[in-house]
């Protein structure tokens, strides 16, 4: 039994008791510390009752809020399409908050949606990448640029489109606006997410990334340089020699 499966079993044994679940999560959160317990977050999101997911998604405690936020991804795919707006609006709200851990939890929630319904994720991130808040645009980029999601042409294309739109959104900003912490977080995400998107569809992605090299925008140039350092992209740009037969 894996660690995550052990956590799932323990949480099920608590039978949805809110106080007992909160105590279990808090005691094993890994915080304070350098790394939160992601296996436990995933286990909670797998099995928690919807009412508890919603309660923790609004918790003042950062770790509990992460647990609830990731769980929202499961709830989105568990309800009919017409009943999802409130849940996705809550995810969007969490995407723009100050805690970087919770913002990462939003990306994890989006990836859960993508695992179950790629088209739903594609539509959501295409909408979010036009949001006025750079942190919401950052969530769109981080949510879809996950290697396991980019195995279908449609999702791979959406990832490239989202990266391109988010990059253009930075390029359109005046220099003083680029000092905003949300814009810096978006730029940081684009500094690795382009390489993930390109690896998902190299034939389409390499020319799109190459086109950015001609930009004289300093932030766009930084994004290109950072992605060029990533091993996944270097392998595409400099494939190993194949011995002749």
């Amino acid at each position: 039994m894996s660690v995550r499966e052990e956590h799932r079993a323990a949480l099920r044994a608590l039978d949805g008791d809110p106080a007992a679940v909160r105590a279990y999560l808090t005691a094993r959160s890994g915080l304070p510390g350098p790394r939160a317990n992601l296996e436990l977050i995933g286990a909670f999101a797998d099995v928690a009752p919807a009412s508890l997911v919603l309660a923790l998604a609004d918790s003042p405690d950062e770790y509990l809020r992460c647990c609830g936020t990731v769980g929202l991804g499961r709830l989105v795919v568990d309800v009919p399409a017409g009943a999802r707006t409130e849940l996705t609006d809550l995810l969007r709200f969490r995407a723009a908050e100050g805690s970087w851990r919770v913002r990462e939890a939003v990306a994890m929630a989006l990836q859960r949606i993508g695992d179950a319904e790629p088209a739903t994720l594609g539509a959501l991130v295409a909408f979010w990448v036009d949001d006025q808040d750079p942190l919401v645009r950052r969530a769109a980029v981080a949510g879809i640029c996950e290697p396991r999601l980019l195995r279908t042409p449609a999702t791979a294309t959406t990832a490239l489109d989202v990266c391109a739109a988010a990059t253009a959104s930075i390029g359109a900003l005046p220099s003083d606006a680029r000092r905003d912490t949300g814009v810096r977080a978006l730029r940081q995400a684009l500094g690795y997410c382009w390489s993930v998107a390109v690896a998902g569809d190299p034939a389409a992605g390499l020319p799109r990334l190459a086109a950015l090299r001609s930009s004289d925008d300093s932030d766009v140039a930084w994004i290109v340089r950072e992605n060029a350092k990533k091993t996944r992209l270097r392998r595409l740009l400099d494939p190993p020699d194949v011995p002749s037969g």
Side-chain angles (χ1 to χ4, degrees):
M1 183 181 290
S2 70
V3 172
R4 183 158 166 173
E5 289 169 338
E6 290 175 358
H7 284 313
R8 283 198 294 254
L11 289 166
R12 287 192 182 101
L14 296 176
D15 200 26
D17 181 320
V21 172
R22 283 181 170 90
Y24 183 92
L25 296 173
T26 300
R28 295 160 179 82
S29 69
L31 301 177
R35 186 177 184 275
N37 188 339
L38 299 182
E39 292 291 340
L40 179 55
I41 290 175
F44 172 85
D46 290 341
V47 302
S51 60
L52 190 53
V53 168
L54 291 169
L56 294 198
D58 200 35
S59 172
D61 179 88
E62 182 184 46
Y63 185 77
L64 297 182
R65 198 158 69 256
C66 287
C67 292
T69 298
V70 176
L72 291 174
R74 191 196 85 220
L75 298 192
V76 168
V77 299
D78 281 351
V79 302
R84 294 173 175 178
T85 301
E86 185 174 350
L87 295 171
T88 56
D89 283 351
L90 180 53
L91 275 175
R92 184 224 166 273
F93 183 75
R94 289 285 165 247
E97 77 160 65
S99 165
W100 69 266
R101 293 188 192 278
V102 176
R103 297 199 300 266
E104 288 302 309
V106 172
M108 294 167 65
L110 292 176
Q111 288 157 12
R112 279 178 171 261
I113 297 170
D115 286 331
E117 297 182 8
T120 299
L121 174 63
L124 189 59
V125 298
F127 179 58
W128 281 18
V129 81
D130 288 331
D131 197 277
Q132 290 187 346
D133 193 316
L135 288 176
V136 178
R137 301 199 297 274
R138 185 253 174 215
V141 170
I144 198 162
C145 289
E146 165 59 40
R148 73 175 189 268
L149 300 178
L150 305 184
R151 295 172 182 167
T152 65
T155 308
T157 297
T158 300
L160 290 169
D161 290 344
V162 166
C163 284
T167 302
S169 76
I170 293 178
L173 292 172
S175 58
D176 59 337
R178 301 188 192 197
R179 292 192 287 270
D180 177 83
T181 55
V183 175
R184 306 312 282 177
L186 173 59
R187 189 186 82 147
Q188 190 72 30
L190 288 165
Y192 69 88
C193 282
W194 263 108
S195 67
V196 177
V198 170
D201 186 353
L206 285 172
R208 296 181 73 167
L209 184 60
L212 296 178
R213 297 180 189 277
S214 62
S215 173
D216 58 3
D217 185 286
S218 60
D219 284 312
V220 174
W222 182 89
I223 289 167
V224 173
R225 286 197 305 272
E226 287 301 301
N227 280 279
K229 299 175 185 177
K230 305 299 183 284
T231 300
R232 67 174 70 88
L233 191 57
R234 292 205 307 270
R235 287 173 179 162
L236 295 172
L237 294 171
D238 300 301
D241 293 333
V242 177
S244 58

